[in-house]
Amino acid sequence: MQRLEGLMRKALQQYNMIEENDHICIGVSGGKDSVALTIGLANLRNYFEHPFKITAVTLDPCFGGVESDYTRLEELFAKHQVPYVIKRSNIGKVVFDDRAEQNPCALCAKMRRGLLHDTALELGCNKVALGHHLDDAIETFYMNLFREGRIGCFSPVTYLSRKNITMIRPMLLATENDVIKAVRRADLPIVKSLCPADGVTVRQDTKEFVFEKTKEDPAFRQKMLGALQKSGIDGWQPVNPNCRKPKKEES
């Protein structure tokens, strides 16, 4: 986890993601990204320059009418002294049964996002942390380009004026491989998604495209990061570009 935490700390500093006494709601799907994000922030509480609180929140869509089992996450978060809230919902039923959506991911994401924001406010949180990493950013960029014909990406920090809440993405400087290594070495438990569309979405096609480009050029991801930051689109230009660099990963 040391390298991942270093990359997270750098992102927090570069984009001023955390201020003193923030209370951060972490959206936890149960997948590797959100679990790694939670443990990374839990550890960073001990040495980050600003004191902050975290609460992990899982919104179970109950796909197929089945409640997912998050017992292992409850045990993990209790061990790291992370308050954990699980909310069951009918999102799975609405998306796949009632609406029978041809493009289920868009509606599902919208409904989950709205419920997460409302839950964060109920818990007294002023920020919401999401587990998007650099690969997610690159994939989003190309999905916008190829599917919508526009240049754009999600933002490192987004203030939602209607909710008076700020969304942050602390892992955006880390690659998916960084996350995978951290999860494996720390032996973190993962809850497999029960979503019927898992692995067959448009994003999966784009993920394979990025993977092939990286095989051709191992520096592809870092070049894309540099392009996003230099262009400054969607808030990607660092506020504090000269902050401390993370330590190199031990061999």
Side-chain angles (χ1 to χ4, degrees):
M1 288 293 295
Q2 185 177 7
R3 173 172 169 78
L4 181 61
E5 287 173 27
L7 290 166
M8 289 173 62
R9 185 178 185 182
K10 182 180 179 183
L12 296 178
Q13 293 170 329
Q14 281 195 345
Y15 294 98
N16 284 346
M17 291 186 184
I18 292 182
E19 299 171 299
E20 191 167 351
N21 297 322
D22 277 344
H23 186 179
I24 302 169
C25 170
I26 306 173
V28 179
S29 66
K32 67 181 187 312
D33 302 332
S34 59
V35 174
L37 171 66
T38 304
I39 300 306
L41 286 176
N43 292 339
L44 279 165
R45 288 177 304 180
N46 300 319
Y47 59 89
F48 192 66
E49 43 265 43
H50 302 308
F52 64 92
K53 297 191 300 181
I54 59 175
T55 299
V57 173
T58 291
L59 308 174
D60 184 6
C62 298
F63 292 117
V66 178
E67 294 185 357
S68 295
D69 182 6
Y70 299 103
T71 303
R72 294 201 300 164
L73 293 186
E74 289 180 292
E75 294 172 350
L76 173 69
F77 296 158
K79 179 181 177 181
H80 287 267
Q81 298 181 320
V82 177
Y84 186 36
V85 176
I86 302 173
K87 276 198 170 186
R88 310 291 180 179
S89 75
N90 66 344
I91 292 176
K93 179 178 182 298
V94 171
V95 173
F96 288 98
D97 299 332
D98 299 346
R99 297 276 295 268
E101 286 285 321
Q102 294 299 311
N103 181 22
C105 298
L107 178 60
C108 184
K110 182 178 180 180
M111 294 181 68
R112 293 172 73 173
R113 187 163 55 245
L115 182 55
L116 180 61
H117 296 164
D118 290 341
T119 303
L121 293 175
E122 291 172 7
L123 295 170
C125 300
N126 65 313
K127 291 184 177 176
V128 172
L130 302 178
H132 295 131
H133 45 63
L134 180 56
D135 288 58
D136 291 322
I138 296 171
E139 291 158 16
T140 298
F141 176 88
Y142 279 106
M143 286 174 66
N144 289 336
L145 181 63
F146 294 156
R147 299 280 170 169
E148 301 178 25
R150 66 182 179 90
I151 301 295
C153 189
F154 56 69
S155 302
V157 178
T158 307
Y159 175 66
L160 307 176
S161 57
R162 287 198 306 167
K163 298 284 187 178
N164 190 28
I165 200 165
T166 300
M167 295 175 60
I168 62 175
R169 295 175 166 89
M171 294 203 305
L172 57 76
L173 300 184
T175 66
E176 184 170 27
N177 195 45
D178 289 324
V179 177
I180 291 172
K181 286 182 178 179
V183 168
R184 286 177 177 172
R185 292 182 182 182
D187 194 25
L188 300 180
I190 302 302
V191 178
K192 182 173 174 52
S193 172
L194 299 178
C195 174
D198 188 36
V200 293
T201 62
V202 172
R203 180 169 289 276
Q204 183 62 33
D205 293 338
T206 313
K207 183 184 290 291
E208 292 170 6
F209 165 80
V210 173
F211 178 75
E212 288 302 319
K213 296 302 292 183
T214 304
K215 282 175 62 178
E216 297 171 12
D217 179 5
F220 175 73
R221 290 182 176 90
Q222 293 306 313
K223 288 178 180 177
M224 281 297 303
L225 172 60
L228 287 168
Q229 291 185 324
K230 290 174 184 175
S231 70
I233 62 170
D234 297 322
W236 272 81
Q237 184 173 10
V239 178
N240 302 309
N242 297 319
C243 67
R244 179 190 62 82
K245 293 183 179 181
K247 295 179 179 178
K248 291 184 178 181
E249 183 179 14
E250 295 180 2
S251 59

